[in-house]
Amino acid sequence: MSTKAQRTYKTFRLDRTLTAILARRKVPDAQVIELSSGLFEDEYWISLANYKALQRVLRESHEGPVSAPDGQAPTPLRHAIARITSSPYEVYLRGLEARRAVRRLPIPWMVNHIPRTTSNKRRPGERMTPEYLTIHSTGNPTSKALGERSWLTNAQNDRTASFHIVVDETMAVECIPFNEVAWHAGDGNGDGNKKSISIEICESGNRGKVLRNAILLAARILREADMTADNLRRHHDWATKMCPRILIVDANRAHPSQTWDWFKSEVEALL
């Protein structure tokens, strides 16, 4: 089982335990102990409302002092309950909830995959396991995400080039599944095309908002694919094209601070 699958299964198991406790069903002590540990891991998160309910149920069902009599060490169960119901955990949870809010993509993510029958083999249907996330900019100062998606299936488009997802200041549009190859990197059958998810960043609109959306989108894709900022690549890293030009060409930046190193560090801060 992959690391991601193990985390998903653990979260599912802990969530079942939490649901059972809140429904006041009998839960084995070992599961309460596991829950107390799992709550402090970033991959498992509950709402403040459920946390408050969990506190109340555990306090009502396990009355009495947490510490054992005569100075003896508390049992593992009472230690777990003390950990869950302690004030420091609420502080931790509030901080975690705030970080999740910062990470949240503030725009809709539309899934509108181009057909496999799209001309020029823009969606070849070849399976891939992504190892990189490649950043592009569209090179078009007026186009929006929906327009870029429409161009992929436009009868006048005679190019093979394609991409996985495009983002502007109001939305993101997924055009090819992330576990399929797209022709975006300009390196033929190299790792750019065959092992990389691609994001196209629109150059229109409020550049600050567009780049913020792109940063949040990149961080989310990296997290979900078990990758880090070290897996980020520019189109320019695979081919000679100066892309994404809005991050690597001085004349195309909206602000001198919007460099590739800045973009990468902003993504890394969200992981």
Side-chain angles (χ1 to χ4, degrees):
M1 184 183 293
S2 69
T3 302
K4 184 176 182 180
Q6 288 175 342
R7 287 205 304 267
T8 301
Y9 176 70
K10 181 178 181 180
T11 299
F12 172 74
R13 187 173 66 244
L14 292 174
D15 196 53
R16 288 184 62 183
T17 300
L18 173 64
T19 301
I21 292 173
L22 295 184
R24 296 175 180 266
R25 293 197 295 269
K26 178 64 178 177
V27 176
D29 292 354
Q31 290 186 20
V32 177
I33 294 168
E34 182 183 27
L35 181 64
S36 76
S37 175
L39 285 174
F40 280 87
E41 299 177 10
D42 273 358
E43 68 262 20
Y44 187 66
W45 176 78
I46 62 174
S47 68
L48 280 170
N50 274 349
Y51 169 67
K52 292 291 189 181
L54 176 63
Q55 276 189 322
R56 184 172 60 255
V57 169
L58 288 177
R59 283 171 175 158
E60 290 173 356
S61 60
H62 295 81
E63 296 178 354
V66 171
S67 58
D70 301 325
Q72 299 176 17
T75 64
L77 175 63
R78 289 201 172 276
H79 179 76
I81 294 170
R83 192 180 192 208
I84 292 172
T85 58
S86 66
S87 295
Y89 180 73
E90 183 172 347
V91 173
Y92 161 83
L93 184 58
R94 288 185 183 277
L96 182 58
E97 192 171 63
R99 291 196 298 276
R100 292 289 175 112
V102 170
R103 291 174 175 177
R104 192 172 298 122
L105 192 64
I107 54 173
W109 177 331
M110 176 189 294
V111 177
N112 187 5
H113 295 155
I114 64 174
R116 293 180 184 272
T117 55
T118 301
S119 62
N120 294 293
K121 298 182 178 179
R122 291 189 202 103
R123 183 181 171 186
E126 182 179 343
R127 293 285 177 177
M128 77 162 181
T129 300
E131 297 180 12
Y132 307 97
L133 177 60
T134 300
I135 306 301
H136 305 253
S137 64
T138 60
N140 185 335
T142 61
S143 68
K144 301 285 189 180
L146 284 174
E148 292 290 336
R149 161 60 181 83
S150 295
W151 178 243
L152 289 178
T153 51
N154 190 305
Q156 297 181 15
N157 183 354
D158 60 0
R159 301 183 62 207
T160 301
S162 56
F163 51 84
H164 290 94
I165 192 166
V166 56
V167 61
D168 63 21
E169 64 179 317
T170 62
M171 68 187 311
V173 183
E174 182 181 322
C175 306
I176 293 178
F178 293 169
N179 63 351
E180 291 185 18
V181 166
W183 301 116
H184 62 92
D187 66 342
N189 289 316
D191 287 353
N193 282 328
K194 292 301 186 76
K195 296 183 179 181
S196 175
I197 298 169
S198 53
I199 296 178
E200 283 281 356
I201 304 174
C202 287
E203 299 185 3
S204 61
N206 182 305
R207 183 66 58 80
K209 289 182 179 179
V210 175
L211 286 174
R212 192 63 201 165
N213 290 340
I215 287 164
L216 289 163
L217 178 64
R220 176 171 165 179
I221 292 172
L222 288 172
R223 284 197 307 271
E224 292 181 354
D226 280 334
M227 293 192 283
T228 71
D230 290 336
N231 301 94
L232 278 173
R233 295 292 185 272
R234 306 167 298 177
H235 183 182
H236 183 64
D237 292 322
W238 304 116
T240 58
K241 186 174 182 179
M242 297 301 289
C243 178
R245 68 178 188 173
I246 60 175
L247 295 173
I248 66 176
V249 179
D250 288 343
N252 295 113
R253 292 190 180 106
H255 191 277
S257 65
Q258 293 170 349
T259 64
W260 173 249
D261 287 341
W262 164 81
F263 182 90
K264 189 173 179 180
S265 66
E266 289 290 302
V267 172
E268 187 170 25
L270 295 173
L271 298 176

